[in-house]
Amino acid sequence: QVQLVESGGGLVQAGGSLSLSCAASGRTFSRSNMGWFRQAPGKEREFVAVIGWNGSIGTYADSVKGRFTISRDNAKNTVYLQMNSLKSEDTAVYYCAADLSRAGKDNWGADYWGQGTQVTVSS
């Protein structure tokens, strides 16, 4: 059974930083892309970032570009999201995903999803 388990969410002040982790189990994703999405209250889930299977390519939503960094450790079957210069509008539940596919500029789907971790940025 495939599981993606996020950790590292919490409450932070605007301008601060948080680091999220997502540990995968049940199969290896070393040849799959992995990524992050988020869903703010009352809004649809949106794409945040994706990283290629070898970690060499990262693609970001315009809203987080320059502030967030995605990385991965295939030996640990884990993907990370370092979030800096956080803003109140970054408040959302953050979801880890694997085997992403793209239908448009920021229109991504995924085959596997985590349960989500809450990130709250206070202004």
Side-chain angles (χ1 to χ4, degrees):
Q1 180 182 358
V2 174
Q3 279 192 314
L4 302 177
V5 179
E6 302 95 339
S7 61
L11 174 65
V12 64
Q13 287 189 332
S17 299
L18 273 179
S19 181
L20 304 182
S21 300
C22 171
S25 62
R27 58 159 276 196
T28 178
F29 289 98
S30 60
R31 293 291 178 176
S32 301
N33 61 15
M34 298 185 74
W36 293 90
F37 293 73
R38 67 186 182 186
Q39 186 168 18
K43 295 187 176 181
E44 293 187 351
R45 186 158 53 187
E46 65 175 3
F47 166 78
V48 174
V50 62
I51 189 167
W53 68 271
N54 62 356
S56 63
I57 299 174
T59 300
Y60 299 88
D62 288 344
S63 58
V64 306
K65 203 172 294 183
R67 300 187 298 120
F68 290 11
T69 302
I70 189 170
S71 61
R72 66 189 295 166
D73 184 338
N74 285 341
K76 296 181 179 179
N77 223 16
T78 299
V79 64
Y80 306 94
L81 186 68
Q82 177 65 40
M83 305 184 293
N84 298 328
S85 302
L86 283 160
K87 307 174 181 180
S88 57
E89 51 262 44
D90 294 319
T91 295
V93 176
Y94 283 71
Y95 296 91
C96 174
D99 284 348
L100 282 74
S101 56
R102 190 176 193 177
K105 181 179 182 294
D106 284 336
N107 186 7
W108 292 79
D111 290 341
Y112 300 97
W113 296 91
Q115 292 299 306
T117 185
Q118 177 70 46
V119 171
T120 303
V121 184
S122 63
S123 56

